[in-house]
């Protein structure tokens, strides 16, 4: 048996080793990434540290942010999979070409940190996880190595109906649920619903290394007689604050990816709210996004 003297003498050495380990291998902070559906470098530079896009957009953000904003390159759909059908015949060779010619060179030059597989690839189809998302993410992991970030956004029903676990080689997963865009509703309830869904349907199916992104709805209606812009703007600010508060206390939330930023030329939702206006159309929302993004960047200097 070790006596108390021996144990006490060892304690300072253990504490020193612990400090050194944390110095070299810092724990992931809750909230590491701020990104957006839709890019606008004029408004987003300085508070977005991840951009989900392709080609010159990623390069421009990286250059103009002096390396502080890095990209998740959007995986092409054509040649890889067909929604509602399955993997394309030559999906592996096409994915190899995408990874070797486009993604890997950008990982090497530090402009890209991973791949965004897509938006709602398996919507209303839980079997698509095993049929498409798992083989795609497994092969991307093989091609890109252990440090590349692989992220997908899915419909809630495909996650809730998933009988097994979320594809193990995905790093980040999100779903979207929206409230606060009709009269008499509030925005913060959206974060309540999203958290309830994550705790019931996502966390139990995730491995310890996997984390979620959240997708607050940052849109408004062009029909302002149905829902005044000032009202919906306040609701969006409220929901952003609620998601932000949740993220600061929950280490399983990796970041915030609101939908959406720019004005959309086509209806995104049936009447009476078309969801065409984006964050860029609401100054208070822009200010809140900037506040959250700058906090994330300041608290993640290691990225």
């Amino acid at each position: 048996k070790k006596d108390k003297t021996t144990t006490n003498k060892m304690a300072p050495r253990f504490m020193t080793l612990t400090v050194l380990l944390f110095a070299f291998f810092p724990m992931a902070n809750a909230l590491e990434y701020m990104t957006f559906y839709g890019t606008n470098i004029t408004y987003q530079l300085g508070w977005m540290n991840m951009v989900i896009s392709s080609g010159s957009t990623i390069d421009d953000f990286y250059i103009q942010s002096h390396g502080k904003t890095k990209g998740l390159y959007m995986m092409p759909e054509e040649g890889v999979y067909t929604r509602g059908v399955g993997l394309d015949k030559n999906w592996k060779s096409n994915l190899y070409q995408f990874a070797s010619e486009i993604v890997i060179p950008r990982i090497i030059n530090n402009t890209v940190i991973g791949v965004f597989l897509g938006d709602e690839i398996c919507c209303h189809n839980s079997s698509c996880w095993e049929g498409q998302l798992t083989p795609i993410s497994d092969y991307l992991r093989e091609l890109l190595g252990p440090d590349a970030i692989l992220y997908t956004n899915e419909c809630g029903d495909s996650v809730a109906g998933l009988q097994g676990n979320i594809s193990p080689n995905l790093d980040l997963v999100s779903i979207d649920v929206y409230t606060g865009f009709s009269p008499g509703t509030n925005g913060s309830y959206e974060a309540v619903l999203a958290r309830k869904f994550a705790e019931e349907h996502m966390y139990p199916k995730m491995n310890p290394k996997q984390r979620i992104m959240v997708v607050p709805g940052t849109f408004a209606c062009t029909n302002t007689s149905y829902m005044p812009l000032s009202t919906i703007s306040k609701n969006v600010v409220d929901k952003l604050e609620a998601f932000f508060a949740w993220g600061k206390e929950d280490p399983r939330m990796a970041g915030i990816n609101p939908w959406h930023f720019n004005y959309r030329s086509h209806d995104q939702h049936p009447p009476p709210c078309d969801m065409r206006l984006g964050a860029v159309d609401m100054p208070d929302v822009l200010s809140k996004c900037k506040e959250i993004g700058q906090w994330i960047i300041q608290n993640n200097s290691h990225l």
Side-chain angles (χ1 to χ4, degrees):
K1 291 183 179 181
K2 296 178 180 177
D3 60 28
K4 291 182 180 179
T5 305
T6 306
T7 305
N8 289 340
K9 284 181 178 178
M10 291 181 67
R13 296 180 183 179
F14 176 77
M15 292 175 65
T16 301
L17 179 59
T18 302
V19 170
L20 287 172
L21 285 172
F22 277 110
F24 284 101
F25 303 101
M27 290 184 67
N29 292 323
L31 289 180
E32 290 188 84
Y33 307 110
M34 183 70 186
T35 186
F36 239 104
Y37 275 91
T39 60
N40 190 321
I41 197 167
T42 300
Y43 290 97
Q44 295 169 333
L45 195 65
W47 55 265
M48 227 172 65
N49 65 350
M50 177 192 284
V51 57
I52 298 173
S53 191
S54 57
S56 61
T57 299
I58 288 178
D59 298 336
D60 289 346
F61 267 92
Y62 182 81
I63 293 167
Q64 293 193 43
S65 70
H66 303 288
K68 293 180 180 178
T69 304
K70 299 179 183 179
L72 285 187
Y73 210 100
M74 296 178 69
M75 185 186 78
E77 180 174 342
E78 185 176 356
V80 179
Y81 66 93
T82 302
R83 292 174 187 266
V85 177
L87 295 172
D88 287 5
K89 180 181 179 180
N90 298 316
W91 73 274
K92 263 198 164 182
S93 60
N94 291 330
L95 205 55
Y96 177 85
Q97 184 177 9
F98 164 68
S100 61
E101 296 182 6
I102 296 176
V103 181
I104 291 175
R106 284 179 164 85
I107 289 178
I108 291 171
N109 70 20
N110 211 32
T111 58
V112 161
I113 55 177
V115 170
F116 180 64
L117 276 68
D119 188 58
E120 300 178 346
I121 294 173
C122 293
C123 206
H124 316 314
N125 182 8
S126 296
S127 63
C128 165
W129 280 86
E130 282 303 312
Q132 295 177 58
L133 284 178
T134 295
I136 288 171
S137 56
D138 286 352
Y139 192 47
L140 281 173
R141 178 65 63 210
E142 179 184 334
L143 294 172
L144 302 180
D147 297 327
I149 294 173
L150 304 181
Y151 169 33
T152 194
N153 180 69
E154 265 308 327
C155 291
D157 60 358
S158 77
V159 177
L162 182 62
Q163 296 302 306
N165 292 328
I166 287 171
S167 305
N169 276 308
L170 290 171
D171 299 286
L172 306 175
V173 182
S174 60
I175 60 98
D176 41 77
V177 54
Y178 303 128
T179 66
F181 60 94
S182 55
T185 60
N186 68 73
S188 59
Y189 188 56
E190 184 174 303
V192 174
L193 291 177
R195 185 167 193 170
K196 184 175 187 293
F197 186 92
E199 292 173 345
E200 291 181 358
H201 299 293
M202 299 178 77
Y203 293 170
K205 300 174 182 178
M206 292 163 55
N207 65 48
K209 294 183 179 180
Q210 291 175 316
R211 301 168 75 193
I212 66 166
M213 297 286 285
V214 292
V215 187
T218 54
F219 53 80
C221 324
T222 58
N223 182 358
T224 54
S225 61
Y226 169 73
M227 191 68 170
L229 188 59
S230 59
T231 302
I232 201 166
S233 177
K234 181 184 181 303
N235 284 353
V236 174
V237 169
D238 288 345
K239 74 173 68 173
L240 286 168
E241 289 177 343
F243 277 105
F244 187 34
W246 168 22
K248 287 193 289 186
E249 68 179 33
D250 185 352
R252 301 212 72 173
M253 186 193 296
I256 300 177
N257 181 22
W259 184 85
H260 53 90
F261 193 81
N262 298 307
Y263 175 82
R264 302 226 166 170
S265 58
H266 298 92
D267 288 359
Q268 306 296 300
H269 189 267
C273 183
D274 54 17
M275 300 183 177
R276 286 169 67 172
L277 300 180
V280 72
D281 299 300
M282 296 177 278
D284 289 347
V285 172
L286 273 181
S287 296
K288 181 55 64 175
C289 289
K290 182 177 180 180
E291 173 192 327
I292 294 171
Q294 288 180 338
W295 184 93
I296 290 173
I297 290 171
Q298 291 166 4
N299 284 272
N300 289 282
S301 58
H302 64 282
L303 292 178

